[in-house]
């Protein structure tokens, strides 16, 4: 049967082809149809490999329920930091009532903030620190407020004063963490917006910089509703950049800023031209990871470790268990019942300073634990450190900033849930040697699939932009230069 049918069928098809006469209309339709079919086939083939993203969703963080009618005020409003005699007098009265606790002899910073050195800090704060002068310093860059999802978002927006001919201006969002603030970036901003003035001539790129305050930190309004996490923050910051007129931009972060910007890249990869981090969250454990740890000290090349990875990673128990346990006690408090300790810190400027500045000691350099002054003034000035503390004090933002841990950890106890969504945007990682934890490139690739640069920084710790602004600025510029050449 098939022997009879098939020849007849083919003969019929061939005869139709021979007798087909192309009209002008057919000459257009046939290629168009071919393109359409080819396009559908290409879409079908690629749909199985579609990049997974985090759903952007929406939210409302203002008081009460979201209004049913009316659009949100999308205006960008200039903002200026101000102070008053009353604010300063209240601070001085509280500092005058400081109740000293004698320290344990020879304790240095092993028990936390050394109370004898704290006496010196409080004396400087009370008698020499000039908050009015520091307010002028803070106001040297343009500040703004805008309302997004029911709360006022604070940010600074700095554009280059001069753009050399042929240079491209790229928008760059810088995101801080805890217990930092937008002020961490005050040293790096001029290096990014006016690199030539500071001896940085990395290709043809200069930046306009946007530094927002995480909601609940500093001059950004605290969320009035529960469950405000890094996903909500990422969405709000995307909305902020869109409101400023940007459709594509670079983003950079450390600490919580790393988590937020990573979520931004996972949420809207088409908007993120490049992601630069100085801290990587990789918490996922597995049998393969355990084997990697065991072999890495002896045959690092077998598991993808470099010699520098080995130097920073081992002895493993000391650097990745004991040190982390010692430095993470605050995290358990803030991830469970932040308001209890937070209320005390919000009422006592001395308690607030001790709680915050202790992190600027050992997170900058672990060896500072052995120094009576915590090594604080070897990297920063007291004016710089107390200005950051004052941002928390005058805004009463320590409690909502601590709540951010509860909102994130209650949903994702080991901060690894989002690691299942790969980051495919170009990524640069600056690995500072005194960072709280070191993540080798081979591990970072589990999440960050398109690492363009991975730099072993020669010095510096957790607060990279605050401590080593020039090193970080150079690494950001080199990363962006490579991305621009792709």
């Amino acid at each position: 049967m098939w022997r009879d049918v098939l020849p007849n069928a083919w003969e019929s098809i061939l005869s139709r082809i021979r007798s087909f006469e192309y009209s002008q209309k057919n000459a257009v339709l046939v290629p168009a149809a071919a393109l359409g079919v080819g396009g559908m086939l290409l879409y079908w083939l690629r749909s199985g490999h579609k990049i997974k993203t985090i759903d952007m969703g929406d939210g409302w963080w203002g008081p009460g329920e979201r209004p049913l009618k009316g659009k949100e005020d999308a205006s960008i409003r200039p903002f200026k930091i101000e102070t008053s005699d009353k604010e300063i007098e209240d601070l001085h009265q509280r500092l005058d009532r400081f109740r000293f606790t004698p320290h344990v002899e020879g304790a240095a910073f092993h028990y936390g903030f050394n109370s004898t050195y704290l006496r010196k800090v409080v004396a400087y704060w009370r008698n020499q620190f000039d908050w009015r002068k520091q307010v002028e310093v803070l106001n040297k860059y343009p500040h703004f407020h805008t309302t997004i999802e029911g709360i006022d978002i604070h940010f600074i927006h700095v554009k280059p004063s001069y753009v050399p001919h042929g240079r491209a201006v790229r928008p760059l969002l810088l995101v801080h963490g805890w217990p930092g603030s937008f002020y961490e970036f005050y040293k790096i901003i001029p290096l990014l917006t006016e690199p030539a003035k500071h001896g940085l001539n990395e290709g043809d790129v200069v930046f306009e910089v946007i530094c927002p305050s995480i909601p609940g930190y500093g001059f950004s309004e605290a969320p009035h509703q529960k469950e405000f996490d890094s996903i909500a923050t990422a969405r709000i910051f995307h909305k902020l950049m869109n409101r400023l007129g940007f459709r594509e931009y670079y983003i950079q972060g450390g600490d919580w800023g790393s988590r937020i910007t990573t979520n931004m890249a996972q949420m809207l990869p088409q908007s993120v031209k490049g992601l630069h981090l100085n801290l990587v969250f990789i918490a996922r454990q597995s049998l393969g990871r355990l084997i990697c740890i065991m072999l890495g000290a002896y045959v690092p090349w077998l598991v993808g470790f470099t010699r520098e990875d080995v130097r920073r990673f081992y002895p493993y128990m000391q650097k990745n268990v004991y040190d982390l346990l010692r430095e993470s006690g605050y995290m358990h408090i803030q991830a469970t019942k932040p308001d209890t300790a937070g209320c005390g810190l919000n009422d006592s400027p001395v308690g607030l300073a001790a709680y915050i500045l202790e992190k600027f000691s050992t997170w900058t350099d672990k060896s500072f634990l052995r120094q009576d002054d915590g090594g604080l003034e070897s990297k920063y000035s007291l004016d710089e450190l107390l200005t950051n503390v004052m941002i928390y004090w005058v805004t009463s933002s320590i409690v909502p900033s601590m709540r951010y841990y509860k909102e994130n950890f209650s949903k994702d106890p080991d901060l690894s849930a989002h690691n299942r969504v790969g980051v495919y945007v170009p990524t640069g990682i600056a690995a500072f040697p005194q960072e709280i934890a070191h993540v080798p490139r081979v591990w970072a690739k589990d999440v960050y699939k398109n690492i363009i640069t991975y730099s072993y920084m020669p010095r510096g710790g957790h607060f990279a932009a605050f401590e080593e602004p020039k090193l970080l600025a150079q690494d950001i510029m080199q990363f962006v230069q490579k991305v621009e050449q792709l």
Side-chain angles (χ1 to χ4, degrees):
M1 177 181 177
W2 287 109
R3 291 178 182 178
D4 297 329
V5 171
L6 284 175
N8 293 335
W10 276 112
E11 184 61 33
S12 175
I13 292 170
L14 289 172
S15 65
R16 290 187 183 186
I17 293 173
R18 293 188 195 102
S19 63
F20 188 85
E21 294 182 1
Y22 281 98
S23 66
Q24 187 174 5
K25 183 178 179 180
N26 286 339
V28 174
L29 288 176
V30 171
L35 283 172
V37 173
M40 291 174 66
L41 180 61
L42 183 62
Y43 175 82
W44 179 79
L45 289 171
R46 294 186 64 181
S47 62
H49 304 281
K50 186 178 179 181
I51 294 175
K52 187 178 179 181
T53 60
I54 292 175
D55 181 36
M56 187 166 183
D58 201 4
W60 171 258
W61 310 105
E65 295 184 3
R66 189 172 201 157
L68 296 176
K69 295 182 179 180
K71 291 184 178 180
E72 190 166 67
D73 179 8
S75 64
I76 307 292
R77 306 178 295 277
F79 170 74
K80 188 175 182 180
I81 299 171
E82 296 178 342
T83 188
S84 65
D85 291 339
K86 183 179 179 181
E87 184 175 72
I88 295 172
E89 287 170 6
D90 175 70
L91 171 68
H92 286 173
Q93 289 172 8
R94 292 170 186 263
L95 294 177
D96 287 338
R97 293 196 299 269
F98 167 45
R99 187 165 64 175
F100 174 70
T101 302
H103 75 284
V104 178
E105 292 182 10
F109 261 57
H110 285 279
Y111 283 66
F113 205 104
N114 184 294
S115 56
T116 299
Y117 178 63
L118 184 59
R119 252 183 173 172
K120 177 187 174 182
V121 173
V122 173
Y124 182 88
W125 199 359
R126 173 63 178 85
N127 302 311
Q128 294 175 261
F129 179 77
D130 189 342
W131 175 233
R132 291 187 184 278
K133 180 181 176 182
Q134 294 308 113
V135 166
E136 291 179 6
V137 171
L138 292 175
N139 283 327
K140 75 176 182 178
Y141 294 129
H143 293 249
F144 302 91
H145 266 157
T146 190
T147 305
I148 303 177
E149 298 189 5
I151 53 177
D152 284 346
I153 306 300
H154 161 261
F155 64 97
I156 58 176
H157 187 181
V158 187
K159 299 179 181 180
S161 58
Y162 169 73
V163 181
H165 179 72
R167 292 278 178 107
V169 179
R170 302 299 185 204
L172 172 64
L173 181 80
L174 300 176
V175 185
H176 66 87
W178 188 92
S181 65
F182 66 92
Y183 178 61
E184 284 182 71
F185 300 113
Y186 268 50
K187 297 177 187 176
I188 198 173
I189 287 173
L191 307 183
L192 297 169
T193 57
E194 299 176 317
K197 282 188 179 181
H198 301 88
L200 299 174
N201 295 300
E202 295 293 341
D204 298 321
V205 177
V206 294
F207 298 96
E208 60 177 296
V209 175
I210 301 91
C211 296
S213 294
I214 298 172
Y217 288 69
F219 298 98
S220 276
E221 186 178 355
H224 298 265
Q225 312 294 332
K226 294 188 296 182
E227 301 186 354
F228 183 86
D229 59 5
S230 62
I231 296 294
T233 314
R235 181 177 63 246
I236 283 177
F237 287 172
H238 271 308
K239 290 182 177 182
L240 171 64
M241 295 301 280
N242 289 335
R243 189 168 292 183
L244 292 173
F246 302 118
R247 294 293 175 264
E248 193 175 49
Y249 32 88
Y250 289 94
I251 54 180
Q252 199 282 334
D255 196 86
W256 280 123
S258 169
R259 169 103 166 167
I260 293 164
T261 53
T262 293
N263 290 161
M264 291 178 73
Q266 294 166 319
M267 185 178 289
L268 290 178
Q270 68 272 23
S271 295
V272 178
K273 193 164 187 183
L275 167 68
H276 188 279
L277 306 171
N278 55 281
L279 174 66
V280 174
F281 287 99
I282 302 288
R284 187 173 56 201
Q285 299 299 326
S286 64
L287 178 60
R289 184 65 52 85
L290 179 61
I291 294 171
C292 186
I293 291 168
M294 294 173 64
L295 294 177
Y298 305 101
V299 281
W301 51 269
L302 189 63
V303 296
F305 285 5
T306 66
R307 289 182 179 179
E308 186 62 20
D309 289 330
V310 172
R311 193 181 72 81
R312 297 185 182 193
F313 205 59
Y314 297 97
Y316 179 81
M317 291 300 292
Q318 179 63 50
K319 294 186 176 181
N320 298 276
V321 179
Y322 302 144
D323 286 354
L324 285 178
L325 284 173
R326 185 191 66 224
E327 296 299 328
S328 60
Y330 80 99
M331 187 184 294
H332 188 74
I333 293 171
Q334 295 178 191
T336 53
K337 297 183 178 180
D339 287 30
T340 304
C343 288
L345 300 176
N346 193 50
D347 190 58
S348 168
V350 178
L352 180 68
Y355 195 73
I356 288 177
L357 296 186
E358 183 250 310
K359 304 308 178 193
F360 279 87
S361 169
T362 48
W363 290 6
T364 296
D365 192 317
K366 299 174 186 69
S367 69
F368 288 171
L369 195 74
R370 300 189 291 270
Q371 299 184 28
D372 289 340
D373 64 355
L376 283 168
E377 293 179 72
S378 65
K379 292 288 186 175
Y380 317 101
S381 72
L382 284 180
D383 280 343
E384 291 171 344
L385 292 169
L386 289 171
T387 296
N388 183 65
V389 173
M390 285 294 291
I391 290 171
Y392 281 85
W393 176 253
V394 300
T395 60
S396 295
S397 58
I398 187 62
V399 175
S401 76
M402 293 166 71
R403 287 175 187 155
Y404 201 65
Y405 283 76
K406 182 173 180 63
E407 304 296 15
N408 281 284
F409 280 97
S410 61
K411 296 179 182 178
D412 186 8
D414 63 357
L415 297 183
S416 66
H418 301 148
N419 291 351
R420 300 184 187 97
V421 180
V423 176
Y424 292 89
V425 305
T427 302
I429 297 172
F432 285 84
Q434 289 296 329
E435 185 54 88
I436 299 168
H438 176 67
V439 176
R441 178 173 183 153
V442 67
W443 287 9
K445 286 167 63 178
D446 287 349
V447 176
Y448 302 92
K449 309 296 186 181
N450 188 14
I451 298 176
I452 304 299
T453 62
Y454 182 101
S455 307
Y456 295 101
M457 308 305 283
R459 62 186 179 276
H462 187 71
F463 304 99
F466 204 38
E467 180 194 352
E468 295 289 348
K470 193 166 187 177
L471 284 179
L472 184 60
Q474 287 174 327
D475 200 71
I476 293 170
M477 288 180 172
Q478 289 167 4
F479 163 67
V480 170
Q481 187 65 22
K482 288 189 176 182
V483 174
E484 292 290 320
Q485 292 171 355
L486 292 178

